[in-house]
Amino acid sequence: MQETRLSTARIRAARRVIDPVFLDTPLYRCEALEPALGCTVSIKLETANPVRSFKGRGTEVVASRLAEQGPRAVVCASAGNLGQALAWSGRGRGLDVTVVASRFATAAKLDRIRALGAKLELVDGDHEMARERAAAIARDDGIRLVEDSLDIETCEGAATIGLELVDTVPSFDTVLIALGGGALATGVGHVVKALAPEAEVICVQPHGAPAMTRSWHKRRVVTTDSTDTIADGVAGRYPIPAVLDDLLVVADDALLVQETSIIAGMRMLLDHAGLVVEPSAALGIAALLEDRDRFAGRHVVTIVCGSNVDMGAYHRWVGR
């Protein structure tokens, strides 16, 4: 495999600093989903932890290094999940955490960030404006800026999911990974291509937030003026060049799915797996729904990456 910014040795080392509460999450075949999808489906459940998303793996690596080396103050921009995870990891290590988010972010995510003791600053624009404000705070206050997907710790923390996949799932053909900033996709993709290269790595993004997928297909950074998707966790507009470079190495394909398919995927995960998930976590199921012929007869792993969802909105989308 061509080189990426990631190191398999560092990924293995990351497991030693991540709180075990985030590790070895449930991984199981979900036969109830298979008749409707036409393939063998295994679920990697990254919601079974205190922050209900995979982001805690990366923030544990970030926080452990800050606790050892400083500075003791840190700021990040977040659509909600990274902020919760950094607040949780920082609280356990005595770090002063500031999270910048859009005031239009999911209320449940913002409430949880506050409850975990982080300072929360809201901006009137979208996530990209939150990134700009977080960078300004870091520059003006001289504190550490954590940039999801750009900071290698966030990618290598997420990559420990890949270690668990290749160590426990026999002969899976495909892994479907939600694609936003790219930490999850590049992390898991790196491990799969290094240790199970016969498996296909496919990234999935909504049509309403296509910047990274378009960039992958064009093999250069493509930005968008806006996003329009319920999957707020993957709704970025400005791909990071270094992350795209890694994604071009590890991803075999990048797909766009419709909002109706995302909602159908959420409903299927509720009805057939008993899982309440946020829209980003249903992207893999959405991809299976939109192209059953492509995945027919395969053993597909989908990473259910988060369940921090506003329940009022969830009921509107999925039905009571």
Side-chain angles (χ1 to χ4, degrees):
M1 186 181 74
Q2 299 176 49
E3 289 189 4
T4 69
R5 296 177 302 142
L6 287 76
S7 157
T8 303
R10 288 200 307 266
I11 293 164
R12 294 191 183 281
R15 282 185 58 89
R16 298 194 288 271
V17 301
I18 296 172
D19 189 313
V21 75
F22 293 105
L23 298 174
D24 301 310
T25 49
L27 173 62
Y28 57 93
R29 180 178 172 186
C30 189
E31 293 184 55
L33 286 169
E34 294 174 0
L37 297 176
C39 59
T40 300
V41 180
S42 289
I43 287 174
K44 180 63 167 166
L45 189 62
E46 286 299 303
T47 65
N49 62 58
V51 299
R52 299 196 300 190
S53 83
F54 78 95
K55 298 286 189 181
R57 293 180 185 249
T59 59
E60 282 290 281
V61 181
V62 170
S64 68
R65 293 179 181 173
L66 288 176
E68 292 174 358
Q69 305 167 5
R72 306 293 297 185
V74 60
V75 61
C76 75
S78 175
N81 286 347
L82 178 70
Q84 289 181 74
L86 188 59
W88 193 94
S89 298
R91 184 181 65 177
R93 292 171 174 81
L95 303 180
D96 180 11
V97 176
T98 298
V99 178
V100 184
S102 167
R103 66 177 66 257
F104 307 109
T106 301
K109 296 180 180 182
L110 301 181
D111 289 344
R112 187 61 181 151
I113 291 169
R114 295 186 185 98
L116 287 166
K119 177 184 176 183
L120 180 63
E121 180 174 324
L122 301 179
V123 298
D124 289 327
D126 63 5
H127 179 64
E128 300 302 341
M129 290 188 66
R131 286 174 62 183
E132 293 174 5
R133 176 57 184 156
I137 291 172
R139 181 176 61 251
D140 295 344
D141 295 351
I143 63 176
R144 166 69 185 272
L145 172 65
V146 174
E147 292 195 73
D148 198 19
S149 305
L150 178 59
D151 286 6
I152 201 66
E153 299 99 326
T154 63
C155 303
E156 291 181 341
T160 59
I161 298 169
L163 293 178
E164 294 166 18
L165 289 179
V166 300
D167 286 346
T168 56
V169 175
S171 64
F172 64 94
D173 302 299
T174 304
V175 57
L176 295 173
I177 310 174
L179 179 60
L184 182 63
T186 58
V188 174
H190 173 94
V191 172
V192 171
K193 286 305 175 188
L195 303 180
E198 69 284 355
E200 192 175 23
V201 173
I202 300 179
C203 305
V204 189
Q205 202 166 35
H207 272 284
M212 186 63 96
T213 295
R214 289 181 181 174
S215 298
W216 186 88
H217 284 282
K218 294 286 189 180
R219 304 191 69 84
R220 60 176 175 80
V221 170
V222 177
T223 63
T224 61
D225 294 330
S226 62
T227 60
D228 183 17
T229 178
I230 63 172
D232 62 306
V234 295
R237 295 190 288 117
Y238 300 128
I240 299 169
V243 181
L244 175 61
D245 289 343
D246 292 339
L247 194 68
L248 289 170
V249 173
V250 303
D252 294 296
D253 202 356
L255 309 177
L256 295 174
V257 294
Q258 302 287 347
E259 299 292 293
T260 53
S261 300
I262 297 171
I263 292 170
M266 295 169 69
R267 186 177 294 118
M268 288 190 72
L269 286 168
L270 175 63
D271 291 344
H272 300 296
L275 299 175
V276 175
V277 305
E278 61 187 271
S280 300
L283 288 170
I285 300 298
L288 294 174
L289 286 169
E290 290 199 1
D291 197 349
R292 290 175 176 83
D293 290 344
R294 175 174 182 170
F295 300 102
R298 296 193 189 186
H299 182 179
V300 178
V301 176
T302 183
I303 301 170
V304 175
C305 56
S307 63
N308 293 298
V309 61
D310 178 83
M311 291 310 299
Y314 182 87
H315 288 311
R316 290 194 302 274
W317 298 326
V318 175
R320 293 185 179 275

